[in-house]
Amino acid sequence: MQRPKNWLPGLLMVLPSIILVGIFVYYLIAQNIWTSLNVATRRVVVGGKFEERSIHEGGYRNYTELLGSADYQHALWNLLVLTVVFVVGTMIMGLLWSILLEKGVRGEGVFRSIYLFPMAVSFIAAGVVWRWLLSPAKGEGAAIGLNQLFVKLGLDGLQSSWWSADSRWNMAAMALPAIWQLSGYIMALFLAGFRGIGEDQREAARIDGASEWQVYRHVLFPQLSPIALSALIIVGHMSMKMFDLIYAIAGPNSYTASVPATLMWTQLFAQRDPVAAAVNATIILVIVAVVVVPYLWYTNRTERERG
Amino acid sequence: MRTSTTRSAALLAVAALGLSACATGGDSGGSGDAGAGDASSSETNSAEAYEPKEGGAGGEVGVFTWWADGSEKKGLDALTAEFEKQYPNDSFVNLAVAGGAGSNAKAKLASDLENDNPPGSFQGHAGAELTDYIAADQIEPVNDVMAALGGSDVFPQDLLDRLTVEGDIYSIPSNIHRANVVWANPKVLKEAGINEPPADMEAWLADMEKVKESGVKTPLHIGGTWTQVQLFETVLLSDLGPESYNGLFDGSTKWDSEGVKTAVSHYKELLGYANTASDGDDWPPSIDAVYKGDAAYNVMGDWAVAQFTENDATEGEDYTYFPVPGTDGVFDFLADSFTLPKGADNPDGSKDWLMTVGSAEGQLAFNKAKGSIPARTDVAADEFPEYQQSAMEDFQSDTIVSSIAHGAAVPLAWLTDVSSAVAKFYSAQDEEAMVSDLTSAAEKHGQ
Amino acid sequence: MAADTSTIEHHGAPGTRSAGWAKVLRVALLVLFAALVLMPMYVLVVTSLKSTVTPSGAWSLPTDLSFDGWVSAFERLAPALVRTVVMAVVSAVLATILGAMNGFVFARWQFPGAQTVFTLFLFGMFIPYQAVMIPLQSMMIDVQSVFPWFEGIVVLIAVHTIFGIPICTLIFRNYYATAVPKEILEAATVDGAGMWRIFRSVVIPVSAPAAVVTLIWQFTSAWNDFLFALFLTNRNNGPVTYALNELAGGQNPDYAQIMAGVLIASLPTLLVYIVLGKYFIGGLMSGSVK
């Protein structure tokens, strides 16, 4: 670039943020990684006497130990189920709503606000209601929440024990409130995308004899794919760090609904094991980075190509 | 572009690592006196009795509890009133954290202690749970306060032993609860043709079947994970007997022994008669279910009396109680006690608080309101309602064992693994997995 | 959409134009989905207005309207609400200011390596906060031991501002890239204006659309955050999410009070979305959607 005199003020203007982000993101991440590699011992009381015990050998073994434990694998599996259902569900609902709204309907503003409003509610607040809606008891008299509604509507077959169910796929139910909260946001993104495409392009396709479906398939959807990718990344990374919602619905130390983010809380405070918690936190970071870094690299590159 | 991004990111990371290397020290502090001293646990290191200043040391005393609601809050309020009467110079600051039978509170407390931000005093379950704090060097011995209160002249020696590590007493007990109590609905039982409490697990299961046949879908009511752990511990106690049950914690009883396996199958059968619960459910709905007749039984600690009272239920008519079948004559105990955290802002104020907690007047006021029984032996029984009187008698005469679910028998880290095993069993119902999970938890955390 | 019309014709729509039926179907679906989305809201409102609540009767309408739940919930949440308003507003404003400064530099006044720094910022937007929580917590306590006033919402203001920098920077950068043409800047530079003056007199006056988005975004995420609140504050100095969690965690839950509490704690963000939702979607087009 040109002479420092020209660019220096720019650097100075960003410098406060560089320092803050440098410390609070990168330095703290490094410190967390450092903690995760520590050797740790713990003093315990056995039979009325103190005894020193080794609880972590240090180095990479801290990682193999946690990754090998059944509880952590259970949490990772839960996370996978939650993320897949959450991402797919949110994308489908968001796209569907935006398609329903994009041509303009009377009362569009009302529908848009209704669909968007759950996003304004915190996970912790929404969790209070959903905890009750997803109550596991079934059958006349016992059922409350959604199950009770199903019984009242004569749809007994739809009852489920939701996230408390005895199933490998139980965390799919935990995705329901998350889909409820974020579909509206994805709708807003797609809606903004649809509105950004000029009417002339659709007209041109229609004149060429394209059916309404073909207009979507060949003209509109391709132009939405960058938005779809952003939406996918946003929802996906939210799912991987989701804590509040599970904390509010299943309680702070639930085993059934545990994911790495909630397990970290248990490790840190119930098990008093900051090293294991740091290992876990680093693994969450790596999982997110595996998804996000290629995306950032890709956007960076396409932007450069565009100039 | 790509290479330069990666390189500078790596540089930054390396630089930051270098910095953090200086910032993170080892955490081996406080291990110096490990294994030192061979005083037997029943002997207390001598200390001069604490002498509170007239009217108290002055200043604020922040007290951390999970007594934020209902009868627990009433108990705390009564105790606070007594404190303000005894030490008018001190001002009490309520740091209670609500929810989850203390699990939220314990997590929050651990984070405060970890961050050198201790309260003036905090509530902990006497026994193994407190050893976590003792071993981590987070609480101080209170031998002087105990000496001032009268030591084993006024507290049961059994209890003091459980508060003592290497000759030092680390907390002042405030109250005692019993965990192995079945709360039952007499009308439901009568309807099913059951007239007396069952003698053992098999008999109880047979009664459950009768209740079910009489039309009650869920004879047994359960709540979230910790209530299930409590139920399971009482089944263990019933099938093993007190001696073998105690052996589970010192290694003399194996967790994969026949007795434990029998208990696991009994427990599985019991769950077959229970409602569907989710991990986070609290206990009061179970008591309500028994009261309303939606269930016949619930196993809960004796704090449940307060919930019946809340519903205006009458003993004998609306509810009845008996020890968990097969545990008659055994008192599955847990005690709340208060501590002096290391680095507390106002240690003398904290000690004043402990003096009130341990005083006969404090224990009377607190326990009457909370529904528990005093830890002191010199509080007159006739001041208490009927259930508490019977519990006080039992505590004197019964064999005492420690509760798992409430941290008296095992430290928190061990309890966490037991809870995971129980939660896993709730959905998977795999007996072998349960036994092997419990065994590996004991190997990891036990002797 | 068009493919779906076949299903409705299947139900026998005699002789109407299929476009008309498509419209009816579309509205019907919109109403159905709106009902589903509003269902939890229904439970909240209905329950909050009951005087006695049993879990099994929660779907029915209240027989006797009672505002006791609202009153008691408001009393319990009021101190935390005040703290949260201060916290969310201040951190939204601070993050917006920093974001505007950074966004301008990254879009129009780049320094060598700016692109790399920008990418590193963006990664900060996606990190799971768990990855910094353990050291962050002890760092905050260290600071607090030197500056006792650095606690509660002050800590949260700092944290939300800092972790809001990346997304605000992104939104402003994308916005300025189209809203501030290079030609205007060049003209101003030729006139002898320095960077700071250009930022103040040319850039800031056109920043409103992006600022609305970052303000809404930051306000909402600070307001709704629970993770930082749980780790860094306590019941005496925490925000409304913390207080709400306590309210809901009691042993003898007063459902009317809890549900009213949920509504009270959500009202400010709901209002923001209802009143400013239009600008938010408008801003999305110029902001993060790229």
Side-chain angles (χ1 to χ4, degrees):
Chain A
M1 248 190 188
Q2 321 94 336
R3 302 203 316 276
K5 190 174 171 265
N6 290 329
W7 55 256
L8 195 62
L11 179 61
L12 288 178
M13 195 143 154
V14 183
L15 197 60
S17 300
I18 293 180
I19 293 170
L20 289 173
V21 171
I23 292 175
F24 282 85
V25 175
Y26 292 96
Y27 169 68
L28 290 184
I29 285 176
Q31 210 181 357
N32 181 72
I33 294 173
W34 178 260
T35 307
S36 76
L37 298 170
N38 268 343
V39 176
T41 57
R42 174 187 286 155
R43 201 158 66 126
V44 293
V45 174
V46 177
K49 301 260 169 62
F50 291 121
E51 191 183 303
E52 199 76 19
R53 279 196 186 173
S54 159
I55 52 168
H56 294 290
E57 299 174 68
Y60 75 92
R61 277 186 244 98
N62 290 356
Y63 284 80
T64 50
E65 182 192 11
L66 185 66
L67 286 168
S69 81
D71 283 0
Y72 198 67
Q73 285 167 5
H74 167 75
L76 284 173
W77 169 258
N78 276 350
L79 179 63
L80 181 69
V81 174
L82 172 72
T83 303
V84 169
V85 178
F86 175 35
V87 169
V88 171
T90 314
M91 296 296 281
I92 290 176
M93 293 313 286
L95 186 60
L96 181 60
W97 292 351
S98 68
I99 290 175
L100 290 174
L101 283 174
E102 61 106 6
K103 280 193 201 156
V105 183
R106 198 132 60 103
E108 185 200 319
V110 176
F111 286 119
R112 221 174 42 200
S113 300
I114 289 175
Y115 294 159
L116 202 54
F117 103 85
M119 196 198 161
V121 180
S122 66
F123 275 133
I124 211 80
V128 173
V129 194
W130 281 97
R131 174 186 188 140
W132 175 82
L133 284 173
L134 299 179
S135 294
K138 290 189 219 176
E140 183 91 52
I144 56 175
L146 280 182
N147 286 345
Q148 189 190 9
L149 187 66
F150 290 147
V151 171
K152 282 190 174 179
L153 296 174
L155 301 166
D156 296 43
L158 288 180
Q159 291 181 92
S160 162
S161 285
W162 309 110
W163 62 270
S164 304
D166 170 24
S167 156
R168 277 167 67 72
W169 310 97
N170 63 330
M171 279 304 270
M174 196 61 91
L176 285 178
I179 294 171
W180 175 76
Q181 287 216 279
L182 279 151
S183 296
Y185 175 58
I186 302 305
M187 170 206 72
L189 289 180
F190 279 128
L191 206 50
F194 276 123
R195 296 279 153 83
I197 301 169
E199 188 58 28
D200 48 328
Q201 292 188 31
R202 302 182 196 220
E203 278 309 313
R206 286 195 193 110
I207 289 166
D208 288 347
S211 72
E212 211 43 18
W213 165 245
Q214 284 168 326
V215 172
Y216 277 102
R217 173 76 187 73
H218 298 293
V219 180
L220 302 181
F221 288 165
Q223 298 192 52
L224 290 182
S225 57
I227 294 180
L229 182 64
S230 313
L232 202 69
I233 297 291
I234 291 169
V235 176
H237 100 282
M238 285 188 79
S239 169
M240 288 166 201
K241 57 190 192 188
M242 190 180 301
F243 170 81
D244 318 16
L245 188 68
I246 298 169
Y247 185 101
I249 291 180
N253 296 318
S254 169
Y255 168 82
T256 315
S258 77
V259 294
T262 56
L263 193 64
M264 185 191 150
W265 170 260
T266 310
Q267 290 169 321
L268 196 54
F269 298 123
Q271 298 176 334
R272 301 160 147 257
D273 190 346
V275 172
V279 172
N280 182 2
T282 310
I283 293 171
I284 303 173
L285 177 69
V286 169
I287 294 174
V288 171
V290 163
V291 177
V292 167
V293 170
Y295 166 75
L296 290 179
W297 178 71
Y298 167 79
T299 18
N300 207 326
R301 202 191 53 176
T302 46
E303 265 183 29
R304 299 226 128 200
E305 279 166 4
R306 273 196 221 133
Chain B
M1 174 58 222
R2 181 173 144 216
T3 41
S4 82
T5 313
T6 346
R7 197 183 310 136
S8 42
L11 272 174
L12 224 145
V14 168
L17 261 172
L19 282 172
S20 72
C22 322
T24 320
D27 53 354
S28 56
S31 61
D33 46 350
D38 19 295
S40 100
S41 60
S42 60
E43 240 172 77
T44 307
N45 294 347
S46 61
E48 243 171 80
Y50 172 69
E51 279 179 46
K53 278 199 201 108
E54 185 67 35
E60 291 189 342
V61 184
V63 177
F64 187 101
T65 64
W66 52 87
W67 296 332
D69 269 313
S71 61
E72 303 186 326
K73 184 173 186 306
K74 280 177 206 148
L76 182 62
D77 289 344
L79 188 57
T80 311
E82 185 62 34
F83 177 58
E84 278 160 1
K85 202 167 86 194
Q86 290 181 8
Y87 301 102
N89 299 346
D90 300 342
S91 52
F92 173 87
V93 180
N94 190 356
L95 302 178
V97 168
S103 59
N104 293 0
K106 283 177 213 165
K108 192 70 202 162
L109 174 66
S111 109
D112 285 350
L113 293 175
E114 208 65 51
N115 292 309
D116 292 327
N117 185 28
S121 181
F122 65 84
Q123 170 197 9
H125 285 138
E129 187 181 300
L130 274 181
T131 63
D132 286 337
Y133 304 106
I134 298 170
D137 232 0
Q138 288 167 330
I139 54 179
E140 306 248 22
V142 288
N143 299 334
D144 54 347
V145 177
M146 186 48 90
L149 288 167
S152 56
D153 294 341
V154 293
F155 289 102
Q157 188 62 47
D158 254 6
L159 179 58
L160 293 184
D161 286 349
R162 289 175 158 89
L163 302 172
T164 307
V165 175
E166 298 198 349
D168 288 321
I169 288 192
Y170 283 88
S171 65
I172 303 296
S174 55
N175 61 300
I176 284 161
H177 276 299
R178 181 176 195 173
N180 59 329
V181 187
V182 178
W183 305 91
N185 185 317
K187 290 173 212 149
V188 173
L189 295 186
K190 207 169 162 197
E191 193 81 7
I194 299 162
N195 299 316
E196 54 191 56
D200 57 18
M201 277 295 145
E202 295 290 342
W204 197 23
L205 285 163
D207 282 358
M208 296 253 181
E209 191 55 41
K210 283 189 207 156
V211 173
K212 196 161 191 174
E213 276 163 13
S214 79
V216 177
K217 281 183 202 154
T218 55
L220 177 67
H221 209 280
I222 57 170
T225 306
W226 71 262
T227 73
Q228 296 164 26
V229 175
Q230 188 179 331
L231 173 63
F232 176 62
E233 97 187 22
T234 60
V235 179
L236 274 176
L237 184 57
S238 168
D239 283 335
L240 291 172
E243 206 166 307
S244 305
Y245 173 85
N246 282 333
L248 289 170
F249 315 113
D250 63 18
S252 58
T253 306
K254 296 279 168 256
W255 283 83
D256 53 3
S257 63
E258 281 312 306
V260 175
K261 284 180 184 163
T262 313
V264 172
S265 348
H266 278 149
Y267 175 62
K268 184 178 176 180
E269 284 181 64
L270 282 175
L271 287 185
Y273 292 103
N275 58 308
T276 321
S278 67
D279 287 4
D281 290 355
D282 219 329
W283 63 271
S286 297
I287 294 299
D288 293 347
V290 170
Y291 169 65
K292 279 187 252 157
D294 294 340
Y297 307 107
N298 172 237
V299 171
M300 189 41 59
D302 53 12
W303 48 91
V305 181
Q307 183 68 14
F308 283 115
T309 318
E310 193 106 333
N311 283 327
D312 291 323
T314 321
E315 193 198 317
E317 220 170 282
D318 297 313
Y319 71 97
T320 175
Y321 52 85
F322 50 86
V324 170
T327 69
D328 203 4
V330 186
F331 195 105
D332 183 14
F333 111 107
L334 58 133
D336 290 301
S337 64
F338 281 86
T339 58
L340 172 60
K342 200 159 230 170
D345 293 338
N346 179 11
D348 281 342
S350 302
K351 285 183 184 178
D352 293 345
W353 166 255
L354 296 178
M355 288 296 290
T356 300
V357 168
S359 68
E361 300 79 17
Q363 302 227 328
L364 177 66
F366 174 74
N367 287 295
K368 254 168 73 180
K370 187 175 187 286
S372 42
I373 65 175
R376 284 177 77 111
T377 48
D378 61 349
V379 180
D382 51 16
E383 294 256 13
F384 287 91
E386 195 181 334
Y387 170 79
Q388 278 152 287
Q389 291 194 22
S390 77
M392 285 165 90
E393 263 168 51
D394 290 344
F395 189 65
Q396 302 281 351
S397 56
D398 285 1
T399 313
I400 311 289
V401 299
S402 301
S403 162
I404 300 173
H406 299 281
V410 295
L412 264 181
W414 190 347
L415 174 57
T416 308
D417 285 354
V418 172
S419 302
S420 292
V422 168
K424 199 154 121 190
F425 186 74
Y426 180 73
S427 48
Q429 308 259 319
D430 181 342
E431 295 179 39
E432 268 176 50
M434 168 94 148
V435 170
S436 96
D437 286 348
L438 291 171
T439 311
S440 59
E443 278 164 8
K444 196 161 135 202
H445 303 285
Q447 302 209 328
Chain C
M1 211 28 263
D4 283 351
T5 33
S6 58
T7 37
I8 200 103
E9 278 165 0
H10 185 74
H11 289 282
T16 333
R17 277 178 54 233
S18 98
W21 278 104
K23 201 167 181 180
V24 171
L25 174 69
R26 197 163 67 192
V27 174
L29 280 174
L30 283 169
V31 171
L32 175 75
F33 282 124
L36 286 177
V37 170
L38 288 175
M39 183 185 63
M41 197 65 173
Y42 165 82
V43 174
L44 277 172
V45 173
V46 166
T47 311
S48 75
L49 293 172
K50 290 177 182 170
S51 57
T52 46
V53 185
T54 52
S56 54
W59 291 107
S60 50
L61 288 164
T63 45
D64 45 342
L65 274 188
S66 154
F67 291 92
D68 294 354
W70 281 79
V71 173
S72 62
F74 184 76
E75 276 167 6
R76 280 194 60 176
L77 296 181
L81 276 171
V82 174
R83 287 194 290 266
T84 316
V85 171
V86 175
M87 186 267 287
V89 169
V90 174
S91 67
V93 170
L94 289 177
T96 298
I97 293 171
L98 288 171
M101 287 161 55
N102 300 340
F104 167 64
V105 172
F106 287 128
R108 288 288 175 256
W109 211 282
Q110 296 217 347
F111 52 87
Q115 194 59 32
T116 307
V117 173
F118 179 64
T119 309
L120 287 171
F121 270 33
L122 284 194
F123 184 64
M125 184 168 102
F126 290 103
I127 60 153
Y129 297 130
Q130 283 84 3
V132 296
M133 198 54 83
I134 301 170
L136 177 68
Q137 200 183 27
S138 39
M139 183 195 251
M140 292 295 133
I141 299 296
D142 288 346
V143 177
Q144 211 171 311
S145 62
V146 186
F147 306 107
W149 49 266
F150 193 74
E151 53 131 40
I153 59 155
V154 184
V155 172
L156 291 185
I157 288 174
V159 166
H160 287 303
T161 303
I162 292 163
F163 289 104
I165 289 174
I167 187 153
C168 294
T169 303
L170 172 73
I171 290 170
F172 274 106
R173 191 198 74 136
N174 290 354
Y175 174 73
Y176 289 145
T178 51
V180 181
K182 278 184 181 150
E183 296 75 32
I184 296 183
L185 291 186
E186 277 157 17
T189 324
V190 170
D191 289 347
M195 184 200 74
W196 185 246
R197 228 184 85 199
I198 292 176
F199 180 64
R200 233 179 34 203
S201 52
V202 179
V203 176
I204 289 184
V206 300
S207 300
V212 172
V213 179
T214 59
L215 284 172
I216 294 178
W217 185 271
Q218 272 304 111
F219 180 85
T220 322
S221 58
W223 187 280
N224 287 344
D225 161 73
F226 179 65
L227 187 67
F228 284 122
L230 186 65
F231 277 80
L232 304 175
T233 64
N234 62 46
R235 69 170 348 199
N236 298 318
N237 61 21
V240 72
T241 44
Y242 192 103
L244 183 64
N245 181 54
E246 282 226 319
L247 186 73
Q251 276 186 342
N252 282 299
D254 174 348
Y255 288 104
Q257 186 194 37
I258 294 170
M259 300 299 176
V262 169
L263 289 169
I264 291 171
S266 308
L267 274 181
T269 43
L270 280 176
L271 272 179
V272 165
Y273 270 80
I274 290 166
V275 176
L276 301 173
K278 208 166 59 188
Y279 302 101
F280 184 69
I281 293 188
L284 279 182
M285 290 173 67
S286 59
S288 60
V289 184
K290 250 302 159 102

